[in-house]
Amino acid sequence: MAKPNQLQKRQLGPLVRPFERHNRLQPEQKRTLKLGEGELFSVAIYDATEDGRPDRVITTKLSDRDSANKYIWVITPNGLFIAYEATPGHPNRFRTGLCHSNLTGGKRAYQGGELWFIEGDVIVINFYSGRYGAENKTQEDAVLLYFQSVGYQTVLIDTERV
């Protein structure tokens, strides 16, 4: 359980700025950070790198996943960070919740996506992040292995956007 090692960093893909992958793959839809989206919202961020699952989380059933019980995650050079997306008091002016760049302060990350804590010790993740989403299966596999390396043993991959 540690920060990503050199091999993990290579497999996770290069560090990217917010929207760098999205803008490269979809240049006609160039996206930039809006007011509040680059602010680090540290009060809401849980460092899962050494501790795995937070003590108090909103859990749900696999079939009941929705935005009310959704978390977001990023992997940076310093590890895995998670936050409840609908955290009250977030700094975004044009959104209803936190965004991935609020977990990085607008800095670079390897990967990002969404997460649900399922009853028991199961989590469901996906790679849906316009800011830091995976580009290929190699990166997705590396994310899964990294989650397992920091203590999440049962990780399901969500193939449908919730």
Side-chain angles (χ1 to χ4, degrees):
M1 293 203 233
K3 296 177 182 180
N5 62 37
Q6 291 303 322
L7 176 60
Q8 289 169 320
K9 289 176 182 179
R10 280 195 305 279
Q11 293 170 336
L12 287 165
L15 280 169
V16 292
R17 292 182 303 278
F19 301 118
E20 185 174 338
R21 288 186 183 123
H22 172 87
N23 289 342
R24 184 174 61 247
L25 296 173
Q26 299 174 29
E28 70 285 353
Q29 298 177 358
K30 187 158 178 72
R31 295 177 66 188
T32 59
L33 291 177
K34 293 186 174 98
L35 185 63
E37 293 182 344
E39 294 179 35
L40 182 66
F41 198 54
S42 58
V43 68
I45 301 171
Y46 178 76
D47 182 348
T49 309
E50 299 293 336
D51 301 326
R53 184 183 183 126
D55 291 332
R56 294 187 181 117
V57 293
I58 298 170
T59 61
T60 189
K61 294 180 181 176
L62 187 59
S63 60
D64 292 338
R65 291 173 292 124
D66 62 24
S67 60
N69 49 42
K70 180 172 44 173
Y71 289 74
I72 56 175
W73 60 268
V74 293
I75 300 173
T76 74
N78 293 317
L80 173 63
F81 300 91
I82 298 170
Y84 178 54
E85 186 180 48
T87 297
H90 61 80
N92 296 330
R93 313 303 190 263
F94 303 102
R95 299 177 52 93
T96 58
L98 293 177
C99 59
H100 292 94
S101 47
N102 290 134
L103 277 66
T104 67
K107 306 277 193 261
R108 295 174 185 245
Y110 289 108
Q111 297 292 327
E114 300 168 333
L115 178 149
W116 290 265
F117 291 97
I118 306 304
E119 296 169 342
D121 285 330
V122 176
I123 63 169
V124 174
I125 65 169
N126 65 34
F127 310 101
Y128 296 120
S129 169
R131 290 159 176 79
Y132 307 112
E135 282 185 295
N136 56 52
K137 180 87 166 92
T138 300
Q139 291 174 354
E140 291 173 0
D141 291 345
V143 167
L144 175 63
L145 292 172
Y146 188 69
F147 266 87
Q148 291 171 337
S149 78
V150 298
Y152 293 97
Q153 295 309 306
T154 307
V155 182
L156 304 177
I157 304 299
D158 180 21
T159 56
E160 296 180 21
R161 188 151 198 180
V162 175

